[in-house]
């Protein structure tokens, strides 16, 4: 067991391992940011369509994840 623990510490202490982990974390962050931006864009498009249909702003807030401020700017 102690050999396995020592091997783990040896591997995770290497600069190559740390760099790979940093790149994986960056990739996860970039993917999450892309999904957030896509959802935000979808909500804006939905809000614009609902505004064209003269739907009240408070109902648009409920239908999307946008704030009242964001909807007023559209």
């Amino acid at each position: 067991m102690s050999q396995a623990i020592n091997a783990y510490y040896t591997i995770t202490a290497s600069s190559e391992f740390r760099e790979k982990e940093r790149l994986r974390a960056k990739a996860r962050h970039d993917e999450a940011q892309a999904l957030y931006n896509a959802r935000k864009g979808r909500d804006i498009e939905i809000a614009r369509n609902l505004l064209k249909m003269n739907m009240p702003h408070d109902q648009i807030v409920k239908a999307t994840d946008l704030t009242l401020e964001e909807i007023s700017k559209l």
Side-chain angles (χ1 to χ4, degrees):
M1 182 68 161
S2 67
Q3 287 179 339
I5 293 170
N6 288 340
Y8 170 78
Y9 286 132
T10 302
I11 291 169
T12 57
S14 75
S15 59
E16 181 182 344
F17 179 83
R18 286 193 308 271
E19 180 62 13
K20 284 181 182 179
E21 282 303 306
R22 186 189 70 77
L23 291 173
R24 283 187 193 110
K26 183 181 181 315
R28 285 190 302 269
H29 176 268
D30 291 348
E31 183 179 6
Q33 193 66 36
L35 286 171
Y36 171 81
N37 290 335
R39 287 181 183 131
K40 192 73 157 179
R42 180 204 62 202
D43 285 346
I44 289 172
E45 184 178 337
I46 290 170
R48 283 188 177 135
N49 289 335
L50 294 174
L51 285 169
K52 287 177 188 174
M53 297 167 55
N54 295 320
M55 184 174 276
H57 289 194
D58 61 324
Q59 288 183 349
I60 297 173
V61 167
K62 291 177 184 176
T64 65
D65 285 332
L66 300 176
T67 64
L68 200 53
E69 230 178 72
E70 291 171 317
I71 291 169
S72 342
K73 290 180 184 177
L74 300 176

